[in-house]
Amino acid sequence: MQTIRKLIRNKKGATAIEYGLIAALIAVAAITAMSNLGGQLGNTFNQVKGNMASNK
């Protein structure tokens, strides 16, 4: 707990915490975007598969 208090008091520590929070926010946004894109991509491939099967 003392280490966290030292980091908060220290400007370099506060900057490091801010960068960590920004990185976490970017990671959450990227994961959300990729999961949505993955679902759409899966639907597209299934549609193509269905179209190919019906054309045989």
Side-chain angles (χ1 to χ4, degrees):
M1 194 67 177
Q2 289 179 349
T3 305
I4 294 172
R5 287 182 186 156
K6 286 180 185 178
L7 284 174
I8 291 172
R9 276 188 247 137
N10 185 351
K11 287 187 180 182
K12 289 181 184 177
T15 302
I17 291 171
E18 290 169 356
Y19 283 135
L21 291 172
I22 291 169
L25 181 63
I26 291 170
V28 168
I31 289 168
T32 302
M34 287 178 199
S35 72
N36 289 338
L37 181 63
Q40 291 174 353
L41 190 59
N43 291 338
T44 301
F45 279 120
N46 287 332
Q47 189 176 22
V48 169
K49 178 183 171 185
N51 289 339
M52 290 178 69
S54 66
N55 288 334
K56 282 187 175 182

PDB file of all heavy atoms in Angstrom, residues 4-35:
ATOM      1  N   ILE A   4       2.030   2.168  -3.485  1.00  0.00           N
ATOM      2  CA  ILE A   4       1.006   2.855  -4.278  1.00  0.00           C
ATOM      3  C   ILE A   4       0.933   4.321  -3.867  1.00  0.00           C
ATOM      4  O   ILE A   4       0.830   5.207  -4.716  1.00  0.00           O
ATOM      5  CB  ILE A   4      -0.361   2.159  -4.120  1.00  0.00           C
ATOM      6  CG1 ILE A   4      -0.297   0.764  -4.726  1.00  0.00           C
ATOM      7  CG2 ILE A   4      -1.471   2.974  -4.773  1.00  0.00           C
ATOM      8  CD1 ILE A   4      -1.505  -0.087  -4.464  1.00  0.00           C
ATOM      9  N   ARG A   5       0.993   4.588  -2.577  1.00  0.00           N
ATOM     10  CA  ARG A   5       0.962   5.985  -2.111  1.00  0.00           C
ATOM     11  C   ARG A   5       2.162   6.767  -2.637  1.00  0.00           C
ATOM     12  O   ARG A   5       2.028   7.928  -3.035  1.00  0.00           O
ATOM     13  CB  ARG A   5       0.934   6.030  -0.584  1.00  0.00           C
ATOM     14  CG  ARG A   5      -0.395   5.613  -0.012  1.00  0.00           C
ATOM     15  CD  ARG A   5      -0.406   5.713   1.482  1.00  0.00           C
ATOM     16  NE  ARG A   5      -1.650   5.164   2.009  1.00  0.00           N
ATOM     17  CZ  ARG A   5      -1.800   4.691   3.211  1.00  0.00           C
ATOM     18  NH1 ARG A   5      -0.788   4.695   4.065  1.00  0.00           N
ATOM     19  NH2 ARG A   5      -2.955   4.217   3.603  1.00  0.00           N
ATOM     20  N   LYS A   6       3.331   6.122  -2.643  1.00  0.00           N
ATOM     21  CA  LYS A   6       4.522   6.783  -3.180  1.00  0.00           C
ATOM     22  C   LYS A   6       4.357   7.085  -4.660  1.00  0.00           C
ATOM     23  O   LYS A   6       4.746   8.137  -5.139  1.00  0.00           O
ATOM     24  CB  LYS A   6       5.768   5.911  -2.963  1.00  0.00           C
ATOM     25  CG  LYS A   6       6.249   5.882  -1.539  1.00  0.00           C
ATOM     26  CD  LYS A   6       7.471   4.995  -1.410  1.00  0.00           C
ATOM     27  CE  LYS A   6       7.910   4.845   0.028  1.00  0.00           C
ATOM     28  NZ  LYS A   6       9.071   3.939   0.147  1.00  0.00           N
ATOM     29  N   LEU A   7       3.767   6.126  -5.396  1.00  0.00           N
ATOM     30  CA  LEU A   7       3.559   6.342  -6.824  1.00  0.00           C
ATOM     31  C   LEU A   7       2.589   7.486  -7.078  1.00  0.00           C
ATOM     32  O   LEU A   7       2.755   8.267  -8.006  1.00  0.00           O
ATOM     33  CB  LEU A   7       3.022   5.068  -7.483  1.00  0.00           C
ATOM     34  CG  LEU A   7       4.025   3.944  -7.717  1.00  0.00           C
ATOM     35  CD1 LEU A   7       3.307   2.701  -8.231  1.00  0.00           C
ATOM     36  CD2 LEU A   7       5.115   4.359  -8.670  1.00  0.00           C
ATOM     37  N   ILE A   8       1.560   7.588  -6.257  1.00  0.00           N
ATOM     38  CA  ILE A   8       0.571   8.658  -6.437  1.00  0.00           C
ATOM     39  C   ILE A   8       1.195  10.018  -6.139  1.00  0.00           C
ATOM     40  O   ILE A   8       0.941  11.002  -6.831  1.00  0.00           O
ATOM     41  CB  ILE A   8      -0.672   8.397  -5.557  1.00  0.00           C
ATOM     42  CG1 ILE A   8      -1.434   7.182  -6.099  1.00  0.00           C
ATOM     43  CG2 ILE A   8      -1.597   9.612  -5.524  1.00  0.00           C
ATOM     44  CD1 ILE A   8      -2.556   6.712  -5.209  1.00  0.00           C
ATOM     45  N   ARG A   9       2.017  10.086  -5.105  1.00  0.00           N
ATOM     46  CA  ARG A   9       2.678  11.356  -4.754  1.00  0.00           C
ATOM     47  C   ARG A   9       3.725  11.750  -5.783  1.00  0.00           C
ATOM     48  O   ARG A   9       3.921  12.916  -6.076  1.00  0.00           O
ATOM     49  CB  ARG A   9       3.336  11.243  -3.380  1.00  0.00           C
ATOM     50  CG  ARG A   9       2.356  11.515  -2.259  1.00  0.00           C
ATOM     51  CD  ARG A   9       3.076  11.599  -0.943  1.00  0.00           C
ATOM     52  NE  ARG A   9       2.631  10.444  -0.164  1.00  0.00           N
ATOM     53  CZ  ARG A   9       3.394   9.666   0.570  1.00  0.00           C
ATOM     54  NH1 ARG A   9       4.677   9.901   0.668  1.00  0.00           N
ATOM     55  NH2 ARG A   9       2.912   8.650   1.224  1.00  0.00           N
ATOM     56  N   ASN A  10       4.383  10.753  -6.355  1.00  0.00           N
ATOM     57  CA  ASN A  10       5.448  10.992  -7.321  1.00  0.00           C
ATOM     58  C   ASN A  10       4.820  11.291  -8.688  1.00  0.00           C
ATOM     59  O   ASN A  10       3.978  10.555  -9.163  1.00  0.00           O
ATOM     60  CB  ASN A  10       6.335   9.745  -7.405  1.00  0.00           C
ATOM     61  CG  ASN A  10       7.530   9.952  -8.298  1.00  0.00           C
ATOM     62  OD1 ASN A  10       7.631  10.950  -8.988  1.00  0.00           O
ATOM     63  ND2 ASN A  10       8.438   8.995  -8.280  1.00  0.00           N
ATOM     64  N   LYS A  11       5.227  12.369  -9.337  1.00  0.00           N
ATOM     65  CA  LYS A  11       4.647  12.727 -10.630  1.00  0.00           C
ATOM     66  C   LYS A  11       4.950  11.671 -11.682  1.00  0.00           C
ATOM     67  O   LYS A  11       4.126  11.400 -12.546  1.00  0.00           O
ATOM     68  CB  LYS A  11       5.163  14.091 -11.095  1.00  0.00           C
ATOM     69  CG  LYS A  11       4.576  15.232 -10.311  1.00  0.00           C
ATOM     70  CD  LYS A  11       4.980  16.540 -10.902  1.00  0.00           C
ATOM     71  CE  LYS A  11       4.360  17.673 -10.083  1.00  0.00           C
ATOM     72  NZ  LYS A  11       4.670  18.970 -10.641  1.00  0.00           N
ATOM     73  N   LYS A  12       6.111  11.074 -11.638  1.00  0.00           N
ATOM     74  CA  LYS A  12       6.435  10.014 -12.588  1.00  0.00           C
ATOM     75  C   LYS A  12       5.519   8.818 -12.367  1.00  0.00           C
ATOM     76  O   LYS A  12       5.070   8.188 -13.318  1.00  0.00           O
ATOM     77  CB  LYS A  12       7.895   9.585 -12.444  1.00  0.00           C
ATOM     78  CG  LYS A  12       8.881  10.621 -12.936  1.00  0.00           C
ATOM     79  CD  LYS A  12      10.285  10.122 -12.797  1.00  0.00           C
ATOM     80  CE  LYS A  12      11.283  11.198 -13.203  1.00  0.00           C
ATOM     81  NZ  LYS A  12      12.654  10.761 -13.011  1.00  0.00           N
ATOM     82  N   GLY A  13       5.234   8.511 -11.111  1.00  0.00           N
ATOM     83  CA  GLY A  13       4.324   7.400 -10.802  1.00  0.00           C
ATOM     84  C   GLY A  13       2.921   7.704 -11.272  1.00  0.00           C
ATOM     85  O   GLY A  13       2.232   6.829 -11.806  1.00  0.00           O
ATOM     86  N   ALA A  14       2.477   8.941 -11.083  1.00  0.00           N
ATOM     87  CA  ALA A  14       1.143   9.325 -11.541  1.00  0.00           C
ATOM     88  C   ALA A  14       1.056   9.240 -13.057  1.00  0.00           C
ATOM     89  O   ALA A  14       0.043   8.786 -13.599  1.00  0.00           O
ATOM     90  CB  ALA A  14       0.808  10.735 -11.061  1.00  0.00           C
ATOM     91  N   THR A  15       2.106   9.648 -13.733  1.00  0.00           N
ATOM     92  CA  THR A  15       2.124   9.558 -15.187  1.00  0.00           C
ATOM     93  C   THR A  15       2.079   8.102 -15.621  1.00  0.00           C
ATOM     94  O   THR A  15       1.370   7.761 -16.576  1.00  0.00           O
ATOM     95  CB  THR A  15       3.381  10.240 -15.752  1.00  0.00           C
ATOM     96  OG1 THR A  15       3.390  11.600 -15.317  1.00  0.00           O
ATOM     97  CG2 THR A  15       3.397  10.209 -17.264  1.00  0.00           C
ATOM     98  N   ALA A  16       2.807   7.248 -14.931  1.00  0.00           N
ATOM     99  CA  ALA A  16       2.801   5.827 -15.263  1.00  0.00           C
ATOM    100  C   ALA A  16       1.414   5.234 -15.070  1.00  0.00           C
ATOM    101  O   ALA A  16       0.947   4.436 -15.889  1.00  0.00           O
ATOM    102  CB  ALA A  16       3.823   5.078 -14.411  1.00  0.00           C
ATOM    103  N   ILE A  17       0.738   5.622 -14.006  1.00  0.00           N
ATOM    104  CA  ILE A  17      -0.623   5.138 -13.759  1.00  0.00           C
ATOM    105  C   ILE A  17      -1.556   5.628 -14.859  1.00  0.00           C
ATOM    106  O   ILE A  17      -2.396   4.877 -15.360  1.00  0.00           O
ATOM    107  CB  ILE A  17      -1.112   5.582 -12.364  1.00  0.00           C
ATOM    108  CG1 ILE A  17      -0.319   4.844 -11.280  1.00  0.00           C
ATOM    109  CG2 ILE A  17      -2.603   5.334 -12.205  1.00  0.00           C
ATOM    110  CD1 ILE A  17      -0.575   5.352  -9.886  1.00  0.00           C
ATOM    111  N   GLU A  18      -1.427   6.879 -15.258  1.00  0.00           N
ATOM    112  CA  GLU A  18      -2.271   7.418 -16.329  1.00  0.00           C
ATOM    113  C   GLU A  18      -2.035   6.657 -17.639  1.00  0.00           C
ATOM    114  O   GLU A  18      -2.990   6.310 -18.336  1.00  0.00           O
ATOM    115  CB  GLU A  18      -1.986   8.901 -16.537  1.00  0.00           C
ATOM    116  CG  GLU A  18      -2.470   9.766 -15.392  1.00  0.00           C
ATOM    117  CD  GLU A  18      -1.955  11.194 -15.464  1.00  0.00           C
ATOM    118  OE1 GLU A  18      -1.151  11.500 -16.375  1.00  0.00           O
ATOM    119  OE2 GLU A  18      -2.349  11.987 -14.612  1.00  0.00           O
ATOM    120  N   TYR A  19      -0.779   6.394 -17.965  1.00  0.00           N
ATOM    121  CA  TYR A  19      -0.482   5.636 -19.177  1.00  0.00           C
ATOM    122  C   TYR A  19      -1.059   4.223 -19.086  1.00  0.00           C
ATOM    123  O   TYR A  19      -1.541   3.671 -20.071  1.00  0.00           O
ATOM    124  CB  TYR A  19       1.024   5.570 -19.444  1.00  0.00           C
ATOM    125  CG  TYR A  19       1.593   6.844 -20.016  1.00  0.00           C
ATOM    126  CD1 TYR A  19       2.776   7.387 -19.531  1.00  0.00           C
ATOM    127  CD2 TYR A  19       0.951   7.521 -21.045  1.00  0.00           C
ATOM    128  CE1 TYR A  19       3.299   8.558 -20.049  1.00  0.00           C
ATOM    129  CE2 TYR A  19       1.463   8.685 -21.578  1.00  0.00           C
ATOM    130  CZ  TYR A  19       2.641   9.201 -21.081  1.00  0.00           C
ATOM    131  OH  TYR A  19       3.145  10.353 -21.611  1.00  0.00           O
ATOM    132  N   GLY A  20      -0.994   3.641 -17.913  1.00  0.00           N
ATOM    133  CA  GLY A  20      -1.570   2.306 -17.711  1.00  0.00           C
ATOM    134  C   GLY A  20      -3.073   2.307 -17.922  1.00  0.00           C
ATOM    135  O   GLY A  20      -3.628   1.398 -18.550  1.00  0.00           O
ATOM    136  N   LEU A  21      -3.754   3.331 -17.408  1.00  0.00           N
ATOM    137  CA  LEU A  21      -5.200   3.436 -17.598  1.00  0.00           C
ATOM    138  C   LEU A  21      -5.556   3.650 -19.070  1.00  0.00           C
ATOM    139  O   LEU A  21      -6.519   3.071 -19.577  1.00  0.00           O
ATOM    140  CB  LEU A  21      -5.765   4.572 -16.742  1.00  0.00           C
ATOM    141  CG  LEU A  21      -5.749   4.343 -15.236  1.00  0.00           C
ATOM    142  CD1 LEU A  21      -6.162   5.613 -14.506  1.00  0.00           C
ATOM    143  CD2 LEU A  21      -6.656   3.191 -14.866  1.00  0.00           C
ATOM    144  N   ILE A  22      -4.777   4.470 -19.754  1.00  0.00           N
ATOM    145  CA  ILE A  22      -5.014   4.702 -21.178  1.00  0.00           C
ATOM    146  C   ILE A  22      -4.808   3.398 -21.962  1.00  0.00           C
ATOM    147  O   ILE A  22      -5.613   3.062 -22.837  1.00  0.00           O
ATOM    148  CB  ILE A  22      -4.094   5.818 -21.717  1.00  0.00           C
ATOM    149  CG1 ILE A  22      -4.516   7.168 -21.119  1.00  0.00           C
ATOM    150  CG2 ILE A  22      -4.116   5.874 -23.240  1.00  0.00           C
ATOM    151  CD1 ILE A  22      -3.527   8.289 -21.365  1.00  0.00           C
ATOM    152  N   ALA A  23      -3.752   2.665 -21.636  1.00  0.00           N
ATOM    153  CA  ALA A  23      -3.483   1.400 -22.320  1.00  0.00           C
ATOM    154  C   ALA A  23      -4.615   0.403 -22.070  1.00  0.00           C
ATOM    155  O   ALA A  23      -5.029  -0.317 -22.991  1.00  0.00           O
ATOM    156  CB  ALA A  23      -2.149   0.818 -21.857  1.00  0.00           C
ATOM    157  N   ALA A  24      -5.134   0.360 -20.843  1.00  0.00           N
ATOM    158  CA  ALA A  24      -6.242  -0.543 -20.525  1.00  0.00           C
ATOM    159  C   ALA A  24      -7.492  -0.158 -21.311  1.00  0.00           C
ATOM    160  O   ALA A  24      -8.199  -1.027 -21.837  1.00  0.00           O
ATOM    161  CB  ALA A  24      -6.524  -0.517 -19.028  1.00  0.00           C
ATOM    162  N   LEU A  25      -7.767   1.134 -21.424  1.00  0.00           N
ATOM    163  CA  LEU A  25      -8.927   1.602 -22.171  1.00  0.00           C
ATOM    164  C   LEU A  25      -8.800   1.245 -23.651  1.00  0.00           C
ATOM    165  O   LEU A  25      -9.761   0.781 -24.280  1.00  0.00           O
ATOM    166  CB  LEU A  25      -9.087   3.112 -22.008  1.00  0.00           C
ATOM    167  CG  LEU A  25     -10.276   3.746 -22.718  1.00  0.00           C
ATOM    168  CD1 LEU A  25     -11.583   3.202 -22.169  1.00  0.00           C
ATOM    169  CD2 LEU A  25     -10.233   5.255 -22.558  1.00  0.00           C
ATOM    170  N   ILE A  26      -7.623   1.426 -24.206  1.00  0.00           N
ATOM    171  CA  ILE A  26      -7.385   1.068 -25.608  1.00  0.00           C
ATOM    172  C   ILE A  26      -7.554  -0.437 -25.806  1.00  0.00           C
ATOM    173  O   ILE A  26      -8.137  -0.881 -26.799  1.00  0.00           O
ATOM    174  CB  ILE A  26      -5.992   1.547 -26.068  1.00  0.00           C
ATOM    175  CG1 ILE A  26      -5.973   3.081 -26.146  1.00  0.00           C
ATOM    176  CG2 ILE A  26      -5.609   0.932 -27.410  1.00  0.00           C
ATOM    177  CD1 ILE A  26      -4.601   3.673 -26.357  1.00  0.00           C
ATOM    178  N   ALA A  27      -7.066  -1.231 -24.856  1.00  0.00           N
ATOM    179  CA  ALA A  27      -7.194  -2.686 -24.950  1.00  0.00           C
ATOM    180  C   ALA A  27      -8.659  -3.106 -24.934  1.00  0.00           C
ATOM    181  O   ALA A  27      -9.076  -3.958 -25.728  1.00  0.00           O
ATOM    182  CB  ALA A  27      -6.426  -3.363 -23.818  1.00  0.00           C
ATOM    183  N   VAL A  28      -9.454  -2.507 -24.060  1.00  0.00           N
ATOM    184  CA  VAL A  28     -10.883  -2.845 -23.988  1.00  0.00           C
ATOM    185  C   VAL A  28     -11.576  -2.469 -25.295  1.00  0.00           C
ATOM    186  O   VAL A  28     -12.378  -3.245 -25.832  1.00  0.00           O
ATOM    187  CB  VAL A  28     -11.552  -2.143 -22.781  1.00  0.00           C
ATOM    188  CG1 VAL A  28     -13.060  -2.227 -22.854  1.00  0.00           C
ATOM    189  CG2 VAL A  28     -11.053  -2.746 -21.476  1.00  0.00           C
ATOM    190  N   ALA A  29     -11.259  -1.299 -25.824  1.00  0.00           N
ATOM    191  CA  ALA A  29     -11.861  -0.865 -27.088  1.00  0.00           C
ATOM    192  C   ALA A  29     -11.461  -1.805 -28.228  1.00  0.00           C
ATOM    193  O   ALA A  29     -12.296  -2.170 -29.066  1.00  0.00           O
ATOM    194  CB  ALA A  29     -11.453   0.567 -27.404  1.00  0.00           C
ATOM    195  N   ALA A  30     -10.207  -2.209 -28.260  1.00  0.00           N
ATOM    196  CA  ALA A  30      -9.731  -3.105 -29.319  1.00  0.00           C
ATOM    197  C   ALA A  30     -10.391  -4.471 -29.220  1.00  0.00           C
ATOM    198  O   ALA A  30     -10.803  -5.050 -30.236  1.00  0.00           O
ATOM    199  CB  ALA A  30      -8.211  -3.244 -29.248  1.00  0.00           C
ATOM    200  N   ILE A  31     -10.515  -5.000 -28.009  1.00  0.00           N
ATOM    201  CA  ILE A  31     -11.152  -6.307 -27.819  1.00  0.00           C
ATOM    202  C   ILE A  31     -12.612  -6.255 -28.261  1.00  0.00           C
ATOM    203  O   ILE A  31     -13.103  -7.158 -28.938  1.00  0.00           O
ATOM    204  CB  ILE A  31     -11.029  -6.763 -26.351  1.00  0.00           C
ATOM    205  CG1 ILE A  31      -9.578  -7.126 -26.051  1.00  0.00           C
ATOM    206  CG2 ILE A  31     -11.951  -7.935 -26.051  1.00  0.00           C
ATOM    207  CD1 ILE A  31      -9.278  -7.321 -24.579  1.00  0.00           C
ATOM    208  N   THR A  32     -13.303  -5.184 -27.897  1.00  0.00           N
ATOM    209  CA  THR A  32     -14.704  -5.030 -28.288  1.00  0.00           C
ATOM    210  C   THR A  32     -14.839  -4.956 -29.803  1.00  0.00           C
ATOM    211  O   THR A  32     -15.691  -5.634 -30.400  1.00  0.00           O
ATOM    212  CB  THR A  32     -15.303  -3.759 -27.646  1.00  0.00           C
ATOM    213  OG1 THR A  32     -15.173  -3.854 -26.222  1.00  0.00           O
ATOM    214  CG2 THR A  32     -16.754  -3.582 -28.015  1.00  0.00           C
ATOM    215  N   ALA A  33     -14.007  -4.153 -30.436  1.00  0.00           N
ATOM    216  CA  ALA A  33     -14.066  -4.012 -31.893  1.00  0.00           C
ATOM    217  C   ALA A  33     -13.741  -5.328 -32.582  1.00  0.00           C
ATOM    218  O   ALA A  33     -14.409  -5.708 -33.552  1.00  0.00           O
ATOM    219  CB  ALA A  33     -13.110  -2.919 -32.350  1.00  0.00           C
ATOM    220  N   MET A  34     -12.741  -6.031 -32.093  1.00  0.00           N
ATOM    221  CA  MET A  34     -12.345  -7.287 -32.729  1.00  0.00           C
ATOM    222  C   MET A  34     -13.396  -8.371 -32.546  1.00  0.00           C
ATOM    223  O   MET A  34     -13.612  -9.183 -33.445  1.00  0.00           O
ATOM    224  CB  MET A  34     -10.998  -7.751 -32.186  1.00  0.00           C
ATOM    225  CG  MET A  34      -9.842  -6.926 -32.677  1.00  0.00           C
ATOM    226  SD  MET A  34      -8.309  -7.504 -31.958  1.00  0.00           S
ATOM    227  CE  MET A  34      -7.269  -6.085 -32.197  1.00  0.00           C
ATOM    228  N   SER A  35     -14.046  -8.399 -31.396  1.00  0.00           N
ATOM    229  CA  SER A  35     -15.076  -9.423 -31.197  1.00  0.00           C
ATOM    230  C   SER A  35     -16.274  -9.148 -32.096  1.00  0.00           C
ATOM    231  O   SER A  35     -16.859 -10.077 -32.656  1.00  0.00           O
ATOM    232  CB  SER A  35     -15.494  -9.510 -29.730  1.00  0.00           C
ATOM    233  OG  SER A  35     -16.263  -8.397 -29.345  1.00  0.00           O
TER     234      SER A  35
END
